[in-house]
Amino acid sequence: MSLDTATVRRIASLARIRLEEEEVGRMQAELNGILGWIEQLQAVDTTGIEPMAGGGAVSLRMREDAVTDGGIPDQVLANAPDRMGEYFGVPKVVE
Amino acid sequence: MHPTDFSLRGAIEALNEGLLTSVELTQAHLDGIAALNPRLNAYLTVTAEQALEQARASDARRAEGVAGPLDGIPLAIKDLFCTVGTRTTAGSRILGNFVPPYESTVSGNLLRDGAVFLGKVNLDEFAMGSSNTTSAFGPVENPWSRRNDPDARLVPGGSSGGSAAAVAARLALGATATDTGGSIRQPAAFCGIAGIKPTYGRCSRYGIVAFASSLDQAGPVARTVEDCAILLRSMAGFDPKDSTSADVPVPDFGAACARGVKGLRIGVPKEYRLEGTPPEIAALWEQGLQWLRDQGAETVEISLPHTKYALPTYYIVAPAEASSNLARYDGVRFGLRETAKDGDLKDLYERTRAAGFGPEVKRRIMIGTYVLSAGYYDAYYLKAQKIRALIKRDFDEAFRMVDAIVTPATPSAAFGMDEKQDDPITMYLNDVFTVTANLAGLPGLAVPAGLDGQGLPLGLQVIGRAFDEETVFAVGSAIETAADFRAVPTLRAGA
């Protein structure tokens, strides 16, 4: 399967990565190279095989539903590019 | 003997015997860093004052008789591990001047055991790479050089290139590293040192900048197999803060190194005999198997039939998880922010991520976004997860017949900084021998075993059953003993 430039732009938008017009062609070629190489997987018979989702065989454990952390707004906000009081600042979203 | 030439174990003994102090040991490493790091670029941040303070406190503890297992030992920390109060970059511009308010569990465990942190070491951006050339802070140079072309600057491998180069150049006694597809074992092999990716779940991932969560594992690199075993014992252990952390006891890995291999059955996977592998690597592999037979092991040919699908499977699973994990870098809560006048929030996200991520990271996020997108999920991601299950099943079946598997660590020795940079897939092939252990969640150890015709180190890999690092260490030590690897890199402290 080969990606066209419109699809490359759509993926970039989904990924929230700004792609300049002159970058589209190169990205398209690189992605198609990688996807073409990956295509060989379609030859593997996976009938009846359960997908392996995690890295370990052990199933995830449950933990007590209790608050174990919090009340540290200064630490949470310490690296914020734009801080307004106890909030992260962003461009105006709602008029 | 120059203090930086001690093995980690040798340094612990020397400290215990009062032959030197941690302050002396730490200062010798800091002097080495000052002399060599401007060229090697292994350290991104050197925490000299903090290191000397930790060393003084360690010497005081030892004087009081309350020294921990790693007390006073100077280490380097891969800049993917969050360290309280010390900038953590992940090798990326997008983290800006991120200073973590918390400590990763693994680095915290090392501090608990008395380690001294010299600083944070370089890596491929977000641990994505096999050459350490994708770092936003410049490449790391391999301290080794080719005998007949000494001016060619070589890569240290990646992504843990700074960790491996620092340890090989005697700028640390050991280092933390991480391995998602080979990022501990490949740089260890390229730099002539040992490194182990433990079983998935052995080390907590808490506080390690995430790349691909179902594949990422932390582990040590050091100059001997036993030094890796000593470090892993401190790094490992159950952590409730990581839901995939395994609640299993941590054995005395150091003791396992002396077990020997008598009676062990060693698997030799026929699918790892790749066309185009340099004859020196094939010969070293055979030599390694002979060393094990000489020490009483039996070698058995085995088949891992889905091996050739491992790399393309990895390049679906890892980018998919990365695209999800890296969604957090949005310019809002931490790190870089790029804006345009009158730009909206989406514009802020897109400009921040365009400016903050390098080309390899962008490529992987794009691939991951595509394979997870509506209409393609089953064809790519689900298919890859099923093939991953088949790769694991291959190993399960093999481990019914053998106790460990021995393979080459890498398909080549270290290459030049300007080589293999044009095509992403050529670079991906570096991990052809290592990536299977990540997909199956198994422990894999790289051990230096010889030199190629150019005088560059080559490594062998030992793969073991899940949570059987002890056998892996025993086999690795047997290879190390027989190989008697004493070669040293051109660039090293105290030389």
Side-chain angles (χ1 to χ4, degrees):
Chain A
M1 188 170 318
S2 192
L3 306 183
D4 57 21
T5 52
T7 309
V8 172
R9 286 196 192 88
R10 188 176 62 86
I11 300 167
S13 172
L14 285 172
R16 300 289 187 266
I17 295 174
R18 184 182 166 92
L19 213 52
E20 302 298 339
E21 205 44 48
E22 63 271 19
E23 296 174 300
V24 174
R26 189 188 166 127
M27 182 66 87
Q28 181 191 17
E30 286 171 348
L31 296 187
N32 280 328
I34 296 167
L35 290 170
W37 174 65
I38 285 169
E39 205 60 33
Q40 58 179 297
L41 297 181
Q42 301 308 325
V44 184
D45 182 4
T46 52
T47 316
I49 303 297
E50 279 296 308
M52 178 174 170
V58 198
S59 59
L60 297 182
R61 64 184 175 277
M62 306 292 278
R63 64 172 169 80
E64 199 187 337
D65 184 14
V67 176
T68 58
D69 205 353
I72 47 167
D74 282 335
Q75 285 185 49
V76 171
L77 291 157
N79 285 283
D82 180 17
R83 176 181 173 171
M84 295 160 139
E86 291 203 346
Y87 299 92
F88 294 105
V90 293
K92 198 169 181 179
V93 179
V94 183
E95 288 302 321
Chain B
M1 185 174 180
H2 196 267
T4 54
D5 283 330
F6 278 110
S7 67
L8 188 147
R9 185 192 155 174
I12 292 172
E13 286 168 357
L15 288 168
N16 284 339
E17 288 165 19
L19 299 178
L20 83 170
T21 63
S22 174
V23 169
E24 290 163 352
L25 188 63
T26 301
Q27 188 61 56
H29 282 91
L30 291 171
D31 293 346
I33 294 167
L36 290 176
N37 200 56
R39 171 154 173 189
L40 293 175
N41 199 29
Y43 281 84
L44 295 175
T45 306
V46 180
T47 51
E49 275 178 38
Q50 181 193 291
L52 288 167
E53 203 173 297
Q54 289 172 334
R56 279 190 291 272
S58 170
D59 286 332
R61 283 194 297 273
R62 187 164 262 108
E64 286 165 31
V66 291
L70 290 174
D71 229 300
I73 296 298
L75 301 176
I77 305 299
K78 186 177 184 179
D79 211 14
L80 202 63
F81 291 80
C82 287
T83 42
V84 170
T86 300
R87 183 180 77 139
T88 299
T89 68
S92 182
R93 264 190 300 275
I94 207 160
L95 269 163
N97 280 319
F98 178 65
V99 177
Y102 50 84
E103 188 81 20
S104 83
T105 296
V106 163
S107 55
N109 288 348
L110 292 169
L111 291 172
R112 172 204 67 202
D113 285 355
V116 169
F117 288 175
L118 296 163
K120 306 294 290 290
V121 281
N122 208 340
L123 68 159
D124 279 300
E125 185 177 5
F126 284 104
M128 297 178 189
S130 304
S131 60
N132 213 123
T133 52
T134 73
S135 168
F137 303 98
V140 175
E141 185 179 346
N142 191 323
W144 292 78
S145 48
R146 292 178 184 139
R147 216 176 268 145
N148 68 348
D149 186 12
D151 295 331
R153 300 199 164 193
L154 307 178
V155 304
S159 67
S160 309
S163 303
V167 170
R170 275 83 178 142
L171 305 184
L173 289 176
T176 66
T178 61
D179 190 315
T180 305
S183 282
I184 289 175
R185 292 159 286 162
Q186 186 252 15
F190 275 17
C191 292
I193 62 170
I196 183 168
K197 179 203 91 73
T199 310
Y200 186 81
R202 182 64 96 175
C203 289
S204 169
R205 292 182 296 106
Y206 176 79
I208 301 173
V209 175
F211 162 13
S213 304
S214 79
L215 301 160
D216 296 343
Q217 255 300 288
V221 293
R223 290 195 293 271
T224 73
V225 172
E226 188 185 21
D227 287 355
C228 285
I230 293 167
L231 284 170
L232 182 59
R233 191 183 187 187
S234 286
M235 292 164 72
F238 175 62
D239 178 14
K241 290 177 184 163
D242 172 4
S243 64
T244 61
S245 168
D247 193 358
V248 294
V250 178
D252 183 348
F253 296 124
C257 292
R259 273 185 189 180
V261 294
K262 203 167 166 37
L264 289 185
R265 289 169 65 88
I266 306 296
V268 186
K270 61 178 184 187
E271 291 80 6
Y272 283 57
R273 287 198 193 98
L274 297 180
E275 217 176 295
T277 301
E280 290 165 316
I281 287 177
L284 184 73
W285 189 13
E286 185 42 52
Q287 176 66 72
L289 298 171
Q290 186 58 48
W291 285 330
L292 294 171
R293 286 192 290 267
D294 291 345
Q295 295 177 64
E298 182 190 349
T299 57
V300 186
E301 179 166 285
I302 57 166
S303 176
L304 300 168
H306 294 89
T307 298
K308 73 167 176 170
Y309 300 113
L311 264 181
T313 299
Y314 175 84
Y315 276 96
I316 292 176
V317 174
E321 294 184 15
S323 72
S324 172
N325 272 327
L326 272 59
R328 74 191 68 180
Y329 304 101
D330 57 5
V332 172
R333 288 158 299 159
F334 41 75
L336 184 77
R337 169 180 290 195
E338 287 284 316
T339 50
K341 196 170 176 294
D342 301 327
D344 62 7
L345 189 57
K346 185 172 186 243
D347 186 64
L348 181 155
Y349 295 154
E350 292 184 339
R351 285 181 190 276
T352 297
R353 291 161 66 79
F357 293 134
E360 181 62 24
V361 174
K362 284 181 191 169
R363 265 196 294 278
R364 296 203 196 184
I365 292 174
M366 294 280 286
I367 289 282
T369 303
Y370 179 66
V371 300
L372 291 176
S373 64
Y376 299 99
Y377 183 92
D378 287 5
Y380 287 110
Y381 189 62
L382 202 63
K383 183 82 182 175
Q385 286 187 315
K386 288 178 180 174
I387 299 171
R388 184 175 180 183
L390 290 171
I391 289 164
K392 181 170 185 300
R393 193 175 73 183
D394 287 351
F395 278 107
D396 290 343
E397 286 173 8
F399 280 121
R400 280 205 279 275
M401 293 177 292
V402 298
D403 301 298
I405 294 169
V406 171
T407 75
T410 57
S412 76
F415 47 89
M417 281 184 170
D418 49 354
E419 297 164 25
K420 305 198 187 196
Q421 302 291 337
D422 298 338
D423 170 32
I425 295 169
T426 309
M427 187 64 79
Y428 297 170
L429 295 176
N430 271 288
D431 291 337
V432 64
F433 296 131
T434 48
V435 74
T436 50
N438 300 84
L439 289 166
L442 303 174
L445 169 85
V447 53
L451 298 177
D452 74 357
Q454 306 266 28
L456 295 180
L458 295 172
L460 291 174
Q461 177 182 222
V462 185
I463 302 172
R465 294 187 182 100
F467 298 106
D468 187 18
E469 286 86 353
E470 289 166 281
T471 300
V472 171
F473 280 123
V475 175
S477 292
I479 293 171
E480 180 181 55
T481 304
D484 195 24
F485 187 88
R486 287 166 193 268
V488 290
T490 328
L491 295 172
R492 61 183 196 281

